[in-house]
mmCIF file of all heavy atoms in Angstrom:
data_model
loop_
_atom_site.group_PDB
_atom_site.id
_atom_site.type_symbol
_atom_site.label_atom_id
_atom_site.label_comp_id
_atom_site.label_asym_id
_atom_site.label_seq_id
_atom_site.Cartn_x
_atom_site.Cartn_y
_atom_site.Cartn_z
ATOM 1 N N LEU Y 373 55.153 92.783 25.932
ATOM 2 C CA LEU Y 373 55.044 93.751 24.873
ATOM 3 C C LEU Y 373 56.410 94.118 24.389
ATOM 4 O O LEU Y 373 57.349 94.337 25.114
ATOM 5 C CB LEU Y 373 54.395 95.074 25.523
ATOM 6 C CG LEU Y 373 54.101 96.207 24.540
ATOM 7 C CD1 LEU Y 373 53.023 95.809 23.551
ATOM 8 C CD2 LEU Y 373 53.729 97.413 25.276
ATOM 9 N N PRO Y 374 56.632 94.098 22.992
ATOM 10 C CA PRO Y 374 57.977 94.369 22.467
ATOM 11 C C PRO Y 374 58.458 95.752 22.910
ATOM 12 O O PRO Y 374 57.614 96.682 23.092
ATOM 13 C CB PRO Y 374 57.744 94.363 20.994
ATOM 14 C CG PRO Y 374 56.511 93.505 20.768
ATOM 15 C CD PRO Y 374 55.626 93.838 21.961
ATOM 16 N N PRO Y 375 59.674 95.882 23.160
ATOM 17 C CA PRO Y 375 60.165 97.211 23.560
ATOM 18 C C PRO Y 375 59.942 98.274 22.535
ATOM 19 O O PRO Y 375 59.965 97.952 21.300
ATOM 20 C CB PRO Y 375 61.738 96.927 23.803
ATOM 21 C CG PRO Y 375 62.038 95.720 22.986
ATOM 22 C CD PRO Y 375 60.731 94.940 23.003
ATOM 23 N N PRO Y 376 59.760 99.506 22.869
ATOM 24 C CA PRO Y 376 59.512 100.531 21.919
ATOM 25 C C PRO Y 376 60.667 100.765 21.043
ATOM 26 O O PRO Y 376 61.805 100.686 21.501
ATOM 27 C CB PRO Y 376 59.148 101.732 22.797
ATOM 28 C CG PRO Y 376 59.838 101.498 24.073
ATOM 29 C CD PRO Y 376 59.809 100.012 24.229
ATOM 30 N N GLN Y 377 60.419 101.134 19.791
ATOM 31 C CA GLN Y 377 61.451 101.471 18.821
ATOM 32 C C GLN Y 377 61.397 102.943 18.518
ATOM 33 O O GLN Y 377 60.348 103.529 18.463
ATOM 34 C CB GLN Y 377 61.243 100.697 17.524
ATOM 35 C CG GLN Y 377 61.335 99.193 17.732
ATOM 36 C CD GLN Y 377 62.758 98.737 18.058
ATOM 37 O OE1 GLN Y 377 63.722 99.067 17.356
ATOM 38 N NE2 GLN Y 377 62.933 98.033 19.162
ATOM 39 N N GLY Y 378 62.530 103.540 18.244
ATOM 40 C CA GLY Y 378 62.566 104.881 17.839
ATOM 41 C C GLY Y 378 62.488 105.845 19.044
ATOM 42 O O GLY Y 378 62.585 105.493 20.182
ATOM 43 N N SER Y 379 62.375 107.082 18.704
ATOM 44 C CA SER Y 379 62.402 108.168 19.750
ATOM 45 C C SER Y 379 61.055 108.260 20.411
ATOM 46 O O SER Y 379 60.013 107.705 19.963
ATOM 47 C CB SER Y 379 62.739 109.497 19.142
ATOM 48 O OG SER Y 379 61.788 109.878 18.150
ATOM 49 N N LEU Y 380 60.985 108.925 21.530
ATOM 50 C CA LEU Y 380 59.760 109.132 22.296
ATOM 51 C C LEU Y 380 58.761 109.942 21.506
ATOM 52 O O LEU Y 380 57.529 109.698 21.660
ATOM 53 C CB LEU Y 380 60.050 109.847 23.604
ATOM 54 C CG LEU Y 380 60.899 109.055 24.617
ATOM 55 C CD1 LEU Y 380 61.220 109.930 25.778
ATOM 56 C CD2 LEU Y 380 60.148 107.782 25.036
ATOM 57 N N PHE Y 381 59.210 110.757 20.603
ATOM 58 C CA PHE Y 381 58.237 111.608 19.855
ATOM 59 C C PHE Y 381 57.495 110.790 18.815
ATOM 60 O O PHE Y 381 56.357 110.862 18.635
ATOM 61 C CB PHE Y 381 58.996 112.779 19.229
ATOM 62 C CG PHE Y 381 59.800 113.563 20.164
ATOM 63 C CD1 PHE Y 381 61.164 113.383 20.374
ATOM 64 C CD2 PHE Y 381 59.157 114.515 21.003
ATOM 65 C CE1 PHE Y 381 61.839 114.113 21.345
ATOM 66 C CE2 PHE Y 381 59.893 115.253 21.935
ATOM 67 C CZ PHE Y 381 61.248 115.077 22.059
ATOM 68 N N THR Y 382 58.211 109.967 18.069
ATOM 69 C CA THR Y 382 57.558 109.159 17.034
ATOM 70 C C THR Y 382 56.736 108.012 17.674
ATOM 71 O O THR Y 382 55.823 107.508 17.047
ATOM 72 C CB THR Y 382 58.592 108.569 16.095
ATOM 73 O OG1 THR Y 382 59.545 107.778 16.833
ATOM 74 C CG2 THR Y 382 59.376 109.672 15.415
ATOM 75 N N LEU Y 383 57.118 107.615 18.881
ATOM 76 C CA LEU Y 383 56.413 106.516 19.470
ATOM 77 C C LEU Y 383 54.950 106.877 19.784
ATOM 78 O O LEU Y 383 54.075 105.997 19.593
ATOM 79 C CB LEU Y 383 57.171 106.125 20.770
ATOM 80 C CG LEU Y 383 56.580 104.975 21.574
ATOM 81 C CD1 LEU Y 383 56.718 103.666 20.780
ATOM 82 C CD2 LEU Y 383 57.262 104.844 22.964
ATOM 83 N N LYS Y 384 54.669 108.009 20.167
ATOM 84 C CA LYS Y 384 53.345 108.373 20.573
ATOM 85 C C LYS Y 384 52.379 108.410 19.409
ATOM 86 O O LYS Y 384 51.221 108.087 19.500
ATOM 87 C CB LYS Y 384 53.317 109.781 21.291
ATOM 88 C CG LYS Y 384 54.083 109.801 22.564
ATOM 89 C CD LYS Y 384 54.063 111.142 23.260
ATOM 90 C CE LYS Y 384 54.761 111.144 24.555
ATOM 91 N NZ LYS Y 384 54.802 112.456 25.225
ATOM 92 N N SER Y 385 52.855 108.745 18.237
ATOM 93 C CA SER Y 385 52.003 108.777 17.019
ATOM 94 C C SER Y 385 51.817 107.386 16.447
ATOM 95 O O SER Y 385 50.836 107.101 15.823
ATOM 96 C CB SER Y 385 52.593 109.816 16.033
ATOM 97 O OG SER Y 385 53.880 109.338 15.644
ATOM 98 N N LYS Y 386 52.869 106.546 16.529
ATOM 99 C CA LYS Y 386 52.802 105.241 15.917
ATOM 100 C C LYS Y 386 52.036 104.190 16.777
ATOM 101 O O LYS Y 386 51.383 103.349 16.269
ATOM 102 C CB LYS Y 386 54.190 104.710 15.629
ATOM 103 C CG LYS Y 386 54.868 105.428 14.448
ATOM 104 C CD LYS Y 386 56.126 104.690 14.097
ATOM 105 C CE LYS Y 386 56.727 105.313 12.795
ATOM 106 N NZ LYS Y 386 57.873 104.523 12.399
ATOM 107 N N ARG Y 387 52.215 104.305 18.045
ATOM 108 C CA ARG Y 387 51.542 103.359 18.982
ATOM 109 C C ARG Y 387 50.749 104.093 20.048
ATOM 110 O O ARG Y 387 51.223 104.236 21.189
ATOM 111 C CB ARG Y 387 52.643 102.447 19.616
ATOM 112 C CG ARG Y 387 53.368 101.651 18.574
ATOM 113 C CD ARG Y 387 54.402 100.779 19.193
ATOM 114 N NE ARG Y 387 55.184 100.033 18.257
ATOM 115 C CZ ARG Y 387 56.148 99.227 18.532
ATOM 116 N NH1 ARG Y 387 56.493 98.973 19.782
ATOM 117 N NH2 ARG Y 387 56.852 98.630 17.576
ATOM 118 N N PRO Y 388 49.591 104.603 19.710
ATOM 119 C CA PRO Y 388 48.866 105.367 20.725
ATOM 120 C C PRO Y 388 48.368 104.510 21.816
ATOM 121 O O PRO Y 388 48.060 105.017 22.910
ATOM 122 C CB PRO Y 388 47.728 105.933 19.873
ATOM 123 C CG PRO Y 388 47.582 105.055 18.688
ATOM 124 C CD PRO Y 388 48.950 104.507 18.383
ATOM 125 N N GLY Y 389 48.274 103.192 21.624
ATOM 126 C CA GLY Y 389 47.843 102.353 22.735
ATOM 127 C C GLY Y 389 48.840 102.038 23.804
ATOM 128 O O GLY Y 389 48.493 101.560 24.829
ATOM 129 N N VAL Y 390 50.117 102.302 23.510
ATOM 130 C CA VAL Y 390 51.181 102.063 24.461
ATOM 131 C C VAL Y 390 51.294 103.226 25.415
ATOM 132 O O VAL Y 390 51.480 104.361 24.963
ATOM 133 C CB VAL Y 390 52.455 101.776 23.788
ATOM 134 C CG1 VAL Y 390 53.588 101.477 24.804
ATOM 135 C CG2 VAL Y 390 52.288 100.577 22.823
#
Side-chain angles (χ1 to χ4, degrees):
L373 186 65
Q377 298 291 306
S379 63
L380 294 175
F381 305 100
T382 59
L383 180 67
K384 295 181 180 179
S385 59
K386 286 190 174 183
R387 299 182 184 179
V390 180

